[in-house]
Amino acid sequence: MRHGIGALGGIALGTAMLALSVAIAFSVGRFPVGFADLVRALWAAASGAPSGLSPAAEAVIFNIRGPRVVAAILCGAALAVAGAAFQGLFRNPLVSPDILGASSGAALGAVLGIFLSLGIFGIQALAFGGGLLAVALVYMIGSSIRSGDTVLILVLTGVVVGSLLGAGVGLMKYLADPYNQLPAMTFWLLGSLAGTDRSDLAPLFGPIALGTAVLLALRWRMNVLSLPEEEARALGLATGPIRIAIVAAATLVTSASVAAAGIIGWVGLIVPHMARFLVGPAFGRLMPTAALLGGGYMLAIDTLARSAAQVEIPLGILTAVIGTPVFIWLLASSRKTWT
Amino acid sequence: MSVNRRAAVVGGLASIAAPHIARAETLTDAAGRAVAIPSRMERVFPAGPPAAITHYTLQPRTLLGWPRANRGAELIYLDPDVATRPELGRLTGRGNTTNLEVLLQLRPDLILDIGSTARTFVETADRVQAQTGIPYALLDGRFEAIPASYRLHGRLVGETARAEELARFCEDIVATCRSRVAGVPRERRPRVYYARGPRGLDTGLGGSINVETIEFMGAVNVAGGTRGGLATVSLEQVFAWDPEVIITIDREFAGAVRRDPSWAGVRAVTEGRVHLSPKLPFGWVDFPPSVNRMPGLIWLGKILYPSLFPEDLVAFTRDFYARFYHRTPNDVQIAAVLEGRE
């Protein structure tokens, strides 16, 4: 049963990669501020002495790059943990956090907000609410159908409702003003953290902290849940309430990250595979490793997105371009470590 | 419903068979296509916003409707009879929302599109003309081409005298601006960031149609180093550019940026040089890409080179609106335009 590098090794490696990502993220960017400036600014903030940095450099550290680094870590960790939980819950390695319609619901909420010319907070609130509502709807429909495999029916309901919500997004784009609203919708759907500022962090942190805490607390029981349902029942585990808790927590973190960053695929799909490749499938060590790797991975990608060119590269495009070959490689090399 | 459809088909056949098209003289449009000039010119269908606006300025009585209904404050600045005509959808190469059967029922004498003459649009025009039998003219919508397009437009719809007057007026504005800006040395041209979207982080890259007016006025577009269309940039990049002037079309952003601590260090914000563009009844700076952007040149000139543009913007606006939009706004209405109200 020994897989890869063990629990402590996984956490140590995840932490090291996250720390490396943070160091790089603070050292590069379009504005000339480096890691040394960060240290000076932090020291000045702690000691109260003047940092000697220009106000613009301080603004970049505390108002622009800093919040963005934090947001990227939070979103990446959230998507990775939610993805790992769903892959276990649905016993399927191809599942990602949007399988129950959270992303589609959030997308519809956001494009509706843009269509109604709401402010940033309004758009994010509609996106967050849309994600939660979509999954609630899927869960209600899925659990009211009493035939066959509960989990399979839930997944199929998610796919169907997700494509209906996708049609709603299409309708909004069709009705939108082509000069102004349509580009805004397109950009939002491609995913970006370009606009993140400090006021975005609280609404992001709250749901992600809560949801991730629930998922981490349940990680020991997930091992049993990923067995076929009869076996889990035979082991004396009430699968229903745990499943609801996992779905609710994963939806909470996914909706919060989609509301802040737009649609970002792949992270929730491939990071759990990376983590499983490193520490094996037992959730006790998989979940913390996935959280750390997800934060570091997302941060690395966002750093590339904001510093490769004068223009931002949409996160959804970068994650797909990087994610596809990584996923194929993982499939080829980690076949045996699934289940 | 079946009655409507039958009427549409009959209408279509009638148009195809109508003798006035067969006998008509032809004209070469901006895409090099031969378009029959209709002998009867009572009903013009605009394929998109630039065509609707331009045709409204030239010959409002024949305009069948608008791609999107005018609403709210927009109506104040337009001839009430024409401004309230129905919403018709778009008939451009992409984002096509017009139903061709509905189009036939409207019995247009001419379909007019002003904009790109790229192949997508040429083929759309050919196809719709073949399907409906209605002449479809494609005119060049580029900023520089506005006077020439007016003259061609005038010949198409039998309004040459007025078309000449409007073309001359546009030529004068363009020539005046060009000659004043030409004398400004490069180091005295302000570096401008064009902000769109509620975050103000969408911008027009070099050569994009969105910044055509800003670049025409000789400003240095800070995002002009990369060529392309619209793109998102990071706030950090805006700090690195440190623009002297910010031009925005987004009222939400213009209101928030002055209080937003994240933007506090940007020079244009510190120096109070963030400007919200007028957009009633049609935008002055970015969209729709049509003659509505002409007053935007003078507005930008006064922002970028205050000493070179002594024009009284209120008087200029009154004159332009009376001449092009067929309605003379009062001072309160002009003030609302200049504040960037929507």
Side-chain angles (χ1 to χ4, degrees):
Chain A
M1 265 304 279
R2 297 296 316 161
H3 277 284
I5 56 179
L8 280 177
I11 288 175
L13 186 70
T15 309
M17 291 187 50
L18 181 58
L20 182 67
S21 294
V22 170
I24 294 172
F26 265 109
S27 307
V28 301
R30 303 306 303 178
F31 194 87
V33 172
F35 195 72
D37 299 315
L38 169 71
V39 174
R40 273 162 70 193
L42 288 178
W43 173 248
S47 68
S51 66
L53 297 172
S54 69
E58 292 207 349
V60 167
I61 291 170
F62 291 114
N63 294 337
I64 301 171
R65 208 181 285 176
R68 189 164 174 172
V69 165
V70 176
I73 295 171
L74 285 173
C75 289
L79 291 170
V81 170
F86 272 5
Q87 287 176 5
L89 184 64
F90 297 120
R91 300 190 286 275
N92 187 331
L94 289 170
V95 161
S96 55
D98 50 10
I99 189 76
L100 293 185
S103 297
S104 325
L108 183 56
V111 296
L112 189 65
I114 295 169
F115 185 75
L116 298 174
S117 299
L118 300 183
I120 298 159
F121 183 77
I123 293 169
Q124 291 183 341
L126 273 185
F128 183 64
L132 298 185
L133 271 179
V135 177
L137 185 70
V138 166
Y139 205 92
M140 271 160 44
I141 296 174
S143 49
S144 68
I145 300 171
R146 300 235 164 266
S147 63
D149 183 348
T150 326
V151 166
L152 180 65
I153 284 177
L154 204 52
V155 170
L156 291 178
T157 312
V159 170
V160 172
V161 171
S163 71
L164 177 67
L165 295 169
V169 171
L171 179 67
M172 286 293 123
K173 291 173 83 170
Y174 184 73
L175 295 174
D177 164 17
Y179 295 114
N180 201 16
Q181 293 174 333
L182 190 56
M185 290 176 182
T186 307
F187 288 156
W188 194 91
L189 291 170
L190 286 173
S192 173
L193 284 165
T196 312
D197 70 16
R198 272 196 284 180
S199 64
D200 294 321
L201 295 182
L204 188 61
F205 183 78
I208 288 181
L210 179 65
T212 307
V214 170
L215 291 175
L216 287 176
L218 288 173
R219 66 190 193 274
W220 306 105
R221 296 177 180 227
M222 286 181 197
N223 293 328
V224 187
L225 212 59
S226 61
L227 298 171
E229 195 155 344
E230 314 81 72
E231 288 182 38
R233 289 240 174 85
L235 287 168
L237 198 70
T239 50
I242 296 178
R243 190 185 301 130
I244 291 181
I246 292 173
V247 167
T251 302
L252 196 63
V253 300
T254 307
S255 301
S257 71
V258 175
I263 304 291
I264 300 168
W266 291 95
V267 176
L269 177 63
I270 67 165
V271 173
H273 284 271
M274 289 182 189
R276 208 174 286 118
F277 182 68
L278 288 175
V279 299
F283 285 95
R285 48 198 150 154
L286 177 64
M287 297 296 272
T289 309
L292 290 166
L293 283 180
Y297 179 77
M298 184 80 199
L299 179 57
I301 288 203
D302 184 55
T303 304
L304 190 60
R306 68 177 162 81
S307 45
Q310 286 194 337
V311 172
E312 292 266 334
I313 306 173
L315 287 176
I317 291 173
L318 265 187
T319 51
V321 168
I322 296 171
T324 311
V326 171
F327 187 67
I328 290 169
W329 177 76
L330 281 169
L331 279 184
S333 56
S334 70
R335 242 178 320 139
K336 290 188 208 77
T337 58
W338 171 249
T339 67
Chain B
M1 171 141 169
S2 67
V3 176
N4 284 353
R5 192 169 294 162
R6 196 177 310 139
V9 172
V10 172
L13 290 173
S15 301
I16 291 165
H20 63 267
I21 292 174
R23 278 191 274 108
E25 106 183 69
T26 61
L27 198 86
T28 307
D29 76 3
R33 303 164 58 253
V35 178
I37 300 180
S39 58
R40 185 188 66 200
M41 176 52 64
E42 299 298 328
R43 304 165 72 84
V44 172
F45 183 95
I53 293 168
T54 312
H55 194 70
Y56 170 76
T57 64
L58 182 60
Q59 197 179 49
R61 75 183 163 80
T62 57
L63 184 68
L64 274 171
W66 303 82
R68 186 202 66 128
N70 295 298
R71 48 195 85 152
E74 293 162 358
L75 293 165
I76 296 169
Y77 301 92
L78 304 169
D79 178 337
D81 171 49
V82 186
T84 50
R85 285 182 195 168
E87 178 162 320
L88 305 172
R90 301 188 297 274
L91 190 67
T92 51
R94 14 169 230 184
N96 195 347
T97 64
T98 302
N99 178 322
L100 286 186
E101 295 187 14
V102 172
L103 174 76
L104 280 175
Q105 271 192 310
L106 290 167
R107 293 175 290 105
D109 302 310
L110 174 72
I111 301 169
L112 179 71
D113 191 5
I114 303 182
S116 166
T117 51
R119 194 153 162 187
T120 317
F121 301 92
V122 174
E123 288 187 3
T124 303
D126 287 341
R127 196 177 273 231
V128 172
Q129 183 168 299
Q131 277 175 298
T132 61
I134 299 164
Y136 190 132
L138 193 54
L139 302 185
D140 191 343
R142 282 174 307 149
F143 199 66
E144 310 271 314
I146 284 177
S149 288
Y150 257 131
R151 294 192 173 101
L152 194 55
H153 191 165
R155 285 170 59 203
L156 259 175
V157 302
E159 200 79 57
T160 47
R162 178 159 169 78
E164 184 60 32
E165 182 201 328
L166 298 181
R168 286 251 170 90
F169 191 92
C170 294
E171 273 172 342
D172 281 352
I173 298 179
V174 167
T176 304
C177 292
R178 183 176 278 141
S179 70
R180 287 182 193 171
V181 171
V184 181
R186 191 173 163 85
E187 66 276 8
R188 289 198 41 229
R189 297 182 175 202
R191 294 182 313 105
V192 175
Y193 172 70
Y194 173 55
R196 284 178 50 135
R199 299 258 195 201
L201 290 175
D202 298 338
T203 194
L205 302 177
S208 89
I209 197 166
N210 312 93
V211 289
E212 205 174 12
T213 48
I214 293 172
E215 293 186 337
F216 177 81
M217 290 306 289
V220 179
N221 174 15
V222 292
T226 313
R227 302 196 66 79
L230 277 181
T232 305
V233 297
S234 65
L235 186 48
E236 205 175 303
Q237 179 64 64
V238 177
F239 267 78
W241 282 325
D242 205 25
E244 295 159 78
V245 175
I246 294 177
I247 304 288
T248 185
I249 55 167
D250 198 286
R251 197 171 165 74
E252 171 99 16
F253 168 73
V257 69
R258 297 182 181 95
R259 285 172 276 114
D260 189 338
S262 303
W263 284 79
V266 177
R267 195 198 306 192
V269 179
T270 317
E271 296 178 0
R273 297 187 74 184
V274 179
H275 299 274
L276 175 64
S277 89
K279 54 182 79 61
L280 281 174
F282 312 114
W284 280 26
V285 167
D286 184 341
F287 58 82
S290 181
V291 65
N292 47 290
R293 296 186 299 176
M294 281 295 161
L297 296 187
I298 303 294
W299 180 77
L300 283 169
K302 291 183 81 71
I303 289 168
L304 300 171
Y305 320 101
S307 60
L308 293 182
F309 285 81
E311 279 83 0
D312 174 359
L313 204 51
V314 173
F316 179 85
T317 306
R318 188 183 299 116
D319 178 46
F320 184 91
Y321 278 38
R323 201 182 285 264
F324 284 78
Y325 297 154
H326 316 288
R327 205 160 193 209
T328 309
N330 63 33
D331 285 358
V332 176
Q333 290 163 343
I334 293 175
V337 172
L338 297 178
E339 273 173 33
R341 296 261 184 89
E342 282 164 13

